[in-house]
Amino acid sequence: MDLCFMTGSLSMDTDTSKREALNNRCVIQPPFKLRTEEPILFLKPPSAYVREGSPVLVPRYSSSLHHEVELGVVIGKGGTAIPQAAAMEHVAGYALCLDMTARDVQDVCKAKGLPWTRAKAFNTSCPVSDFIPKERIPDPGNVKLWLKVNDQLRQSGCTSQMIFSIPYLISYISEFITLEEGDLILTGTPKGVSAVQERDELQAGIEDVVTMSFRVDRKE
Ligand SMILES: CC(=O)CC(=O)C(=O)O
Ligand SMILES: [Mg+2]
């Protein structure tokens, strides 16, 4: 998997009418001003990926590392300006992902109008499961995700609550960033994000499709 695109800021919502209205729009229209209802995007580099067996590291500069469980969409066929109608043809499959976020740092960045790179893109900030072939999730817009910390359920939600559908996100991003095979798009997290501590055990899953676990450690 290559670059990791993240969609953020309240990416899941329970207001169906708002969701439907947004998903019917796919092209950025001039003037090129970010509308608040557009997805907020940020990037994670390949060094953010971490696989089971290796720990998630709390950055030295953070005292509030949060978990965000998310469905990741793996691009199989690249493209530019992909129409929503064709978007799913570009999907190879999925991965269960955690968008680990240094919330204290993100709050400072938000207050100062700075980018979220230090809060979201540090080493091990993107734990990922094994690749899940597309056929194993026939309806990615309606799967349940969960996350436990030390066996306590913290997050439980359904991708039907996403504000932005997967075809919309692929179309939206590819308008200005060419998507490439292996890119991973994280689609937003359900409610319940909370802080983790050194030595915590994180477990997450997608229904009966996949589970994964990670231990939290502090960078020496
Ligand atoms: C405020 C955030 O960190 C947004 C985000 O990443 C999300 O999944 O929502
Ligand atoms: Mg997130």
Side-chain angles (χ1 to χ4, degrees):
M1 283 178 271
D2 296 316
L3 260 192
C4 181
F5 296 89
M6 319 289 296
T7 70
S9 242
L10 306 173
S11 304
M12 284 197 178
D13 195 281
T14 46
D15 179 344
T16 315
S17 55
K18 185 172 164 195
R19 228 169 25 239
E20 282 167 0
L22 289 169
N23 287 337
N24 288 335
R25 266 206 348 253
C26 71
V27 178
I28 307 171
Q29 312 226 328
F32 299 105
K33 201 169 129 211
L34 186 69
R35 291 188 298 245
T36 50
E37 69 272 23
E38 286 181 11
I40 294 176
L41 291 184
F42 44 91
L43 298 171
K44 296 197 189 230
S47 50
Y49 289 129
V50 58
R51 303 298 314 274
E52 267 187 302
S54 296
V56 171
L57 300 175
V58 184
R60 276 193 212 96
Y61 53 81
S62 174
S63 54
S64 184
L65 180 63
H66 279 200
H67 54 77
E68 295 188 2
V69 67
E70 309 197 12
L71 178 68
V73 178
V74 181
I75 297 297
K77 185 175 77 169
T80 306
I82 300 166
Q84 281 197 68
M88 294 310 288
E89 295 163 25
H90 292 257
V91 174
Y94 306 94
L96 179 61
C97 307
L98 304 185
D99 169 20
M100 298 305 296
T101 302
R103 197 69 71 199
D104 46 354
V105 179
Q106 185 189 34
D107 288 344
V108 172
C109 294
K110 276 184 182 173
K112 293 187 173 175
L114 295 171
W116 296 354
T117 312
R118 284 202 101 193
K120 294 274 197 183
F122 54 87
N123 292 342
T124 78
S125 62
C126 191
V128 285
S129 72
D130 288 343
F131 173 71
I132 304 164
K134 195 179 184 176
E135 301 70 40
R136 293 213 52 214
I137 304 189
D139 185 2
N142 192 20
V143 282
K144 295 194 177 71
L145 312 174
W146 57 269
L147 179 136
K148 293 179 183 177
V149 179
N150 303 329
D151 282 330
Q152 302 275 316
L153 187 65
R154 296 271 180 92
Q155 288 190 273
S156 173
C158 184
T159 54
S160 59
Q161 297 169 313
M162 291 194 304
I163 294 176
F164 304 104
S165 71
I166 292 168
Y168 176 84
L169 290 171
I170 290 173
S171 181
Y172 177 87
I173 295 169
S174 68
E175 272 296 317
F176 53 97
I177 301 174
T178 294
L179 287 172
E180 295 181 353
E181 180 183 352
D183 284 346
L184 176 68
I185 302 172
L186 273 65
T187 54
T189 197
K191 65 178 166 41
V193 300
S194 67
V196 298
Q197 313 296 335
E198 195 181 339
R199 290 190 288 276
D200 279 348
E201 294 287 342
L202 309 183
Q203 270 186 300
I206 302 177
E207 291 184 357
D208 53 355
V209 177
V210 77
T211 59
M212 63 181 190
S213 43
F214 288 88
R215 187 180 161 81
V216 180
D217 220 334
R218 185 162 274 276
K219 207 163 163 31
E220 291 305 320

